[in-house]
Amino acid sequence: MAITTSICNSFLGELLGGVHDLDTHTIKMALIKPSMSGTYNDETTNYSDVTGTSDELSGTGYTTGGKLLTSVTPTADGTTAITNFSAVTWTSSSFTTCGGLIYDTTDSNSACAVLSFGGDQTVSTGDFQIQFPAAAAATAIIRIA
């Protein structure tokens, strides 16, 4: 199966409907295992898409549901709406992952974005950290132009 970095189409529509309030809702990131059976891309709608196919990662240092994303700061950079997150770290971990799902737990676990790591990423008895790109129109992980 496959994973493609993308903003989820359902998320875009829900933003216009006022469903998501990224600076007040609880936003998390769940990790996806490399041996996934599902396909994750702009058509992904919910965290249950990952759990329903048993594609969420399991491993030492990883807890089901993933990690809370902090410093969610929606703003504009010119004519592009952007948001950013602080780095997220799984400490004392041993696992392999290939991507993740950013989702809104406040809104019934609705999917926001899918991230491909470009291949398997492995940590052995160490810290696994995701550094998000700079909050700018050309680089923010979530941006709408």
Side-chain angles (χ1 to χ4, degrees):
M1 294 291 140
I3 186 167
T4 304
T5 296
S6 53
I7 300 295
C8 299
N9 293 334
S10 57
F11 174 70
L12 295 173
E14 290 164 355
L15 278 175
L16 292 177
V19 173
H20 301 282
D21 185 350
L22 295 181
D23 56 0
T24 62
H25 285 190
T26 301
I27 308 300
K28 293 182 83 174
M29 181 170 192
L31 298 179
I32 298 170
K33 65 184 181 183
S35 58
M36 72 191 105
S37 60
T39 298
Y40 305 100
N41 53 32
D42 60 352
E43 296 299 318
T44 302
T45 60
N46 198 280
Y47 168 65
S48 65
D49 294 346
V50 176
T51 60
T53 56
S54 299
D55 284 343
E56 185 170 11
L57 179 74
S58 64
T60 302
Y62 184 82
T63 302
T64 301
K67 285 270 194 172
L68 176 69
L69 296 179
T70 61
S71 297
V72 183
T73 314
T75 189
D77 183 12
T79 59
T80 303
I82 61 172
T83 194
N84 201 20
F85 311 104
S86 292
V88 60
T89 304
W90 284 266
T91 58
S92 303
S93 300
S94 293
F95 57 72
T96 300
T97 181
C98 66
L101 176 71
I102 296 174
Y103 68 103
D104 183 348
T105 67
T106 305
D107 181 50
S108 303
N109 297 328
S110 296
C112 302
V114 175
L115 304 177
S116 170
F117 298 154
D120 292 355
Q121 303 298 313
T122 300
V123 60
S124 295
T125 317
D127 294 348
F128 181 80
Q129 185 175 72
I130 297 171
Q131 288 276 344
F132 291 96
T139 56
I141 201 71
I142 295 181
R143 56 188 184 266
I144 302 168

